[in-house]
Amino acid sequence: MSRIGKKPITLPAGVKAQIAADKVTIAGPKHTLSMPVRPEVKVTYDEAAKRIDVAIDPSSAENSAVKAYWGTTRALIQNMIEGVTKGYEKTMEVIGVGWTAAVQGKNLKLTVGFANSLIMPIPQGLEVTVDKQFVTIKGADKKQVGQFAADMRARRKPEPYNGKGIKYKEEVIKRKQGKQFGA
């Protein structure tokens, strides 16, 4: 049995769920998100109790892949509910002399030590703001927020010698000592 999958999901006030055969749609005050559901997993919505139950066929309970889909589906639905009510946020930090980030229309412009600036298109559904060296990414979809932050970090990873690069705000870069000259 999946410990996570068997827990029911309660819907907070102001959140509506719509469940089709292969799709779950969650609508809230901030956004509307939808997700396809695997055929091995059955999702049901109890309107009176305002709760969503995720289940699998008991005959396939021994299959570890089906159990994984069960728990993952429940966790993804819970993340969707949190996203449409509170939203998700990641803060990135650009560290380096003369290195900047700026929002230009629907693009994020990164000047991070290359000959040309890097242009990253901002996906629809995300809100990106820049305050000095901090870039804040906000959105309702947890996966989309995390992926954009990871793509931004991959453009210029922080290096351990000088500490320059793009990193998560709470990330700690383990510094290394450079070469020693003279004896």
Side-chain angles (χ1 to χ4, degrees), residues 1-74:
M1 294 288 281
S2 171
R3 284 188 235 163
I4 294 174
K6 65 183 176 182
K7 291 182 186 176
I9 305 168
T10 57
L11 290 175
V15 177
K16 295 179 180 142
Q18 183 180 5
I19 303 195
D22 60 344
K23 188 175 174 183
V24 174
T25 304
I26 306 290
K30 290 188 180 264
H31 208 276
T32 300
L33 296 174
S34 62
M35 168 187 95
V37 178
R38 294 207 41 110
E40 297 93 346
V41 180
K42 302 294 177 231
V43 180
T44 57
Y45 176 53
D46 184 6
E47 183 75 43
K50 297 276 289 180
R51 85 176 195 199
I52 297 174
D53 291 312
V54 181
I56 58 170
D57 186 24
S59 64
S60 61
E62 298 301 318
N63 188 345
S64 62
V66 173
K67 287 194 294 188
Y69 296 142
W70 186 15
T72 302
T73 302
R74 191 248 181 233

Side-chain angles (χ1 to χ4, degrees), residues 107-119:
N107 295 321
L108 177 66
K109 180 182 176 187
L110 298 171
T111 307
V112 288
F114 295 122
N116 297 322
S117 298
L118 301 175
I119 305 293

Side-chain angles (χ1 to χ4, degrees), residues 75-113:
L76 290 174
I77 293 171
Q78 181 66 44
N79 288 342
M80 287 169 50
I81 292 170
E82 189 172 332
V84 299
T85 55
K86 300 177 197 167
Y88 289 99
E89 178 178 326
K90 291 231 183 238
T91 304
M92 307 296 288
E93 187 174 1
V94 179
I95 301 172
V97 176
W99 291 18
T100 60
V103 176
Q104 293 181 339
K106 294 185 184 254
N107 295 321
L108 177 66
K109 180 182 176 187
L110 298 171
T111 307
V112 288

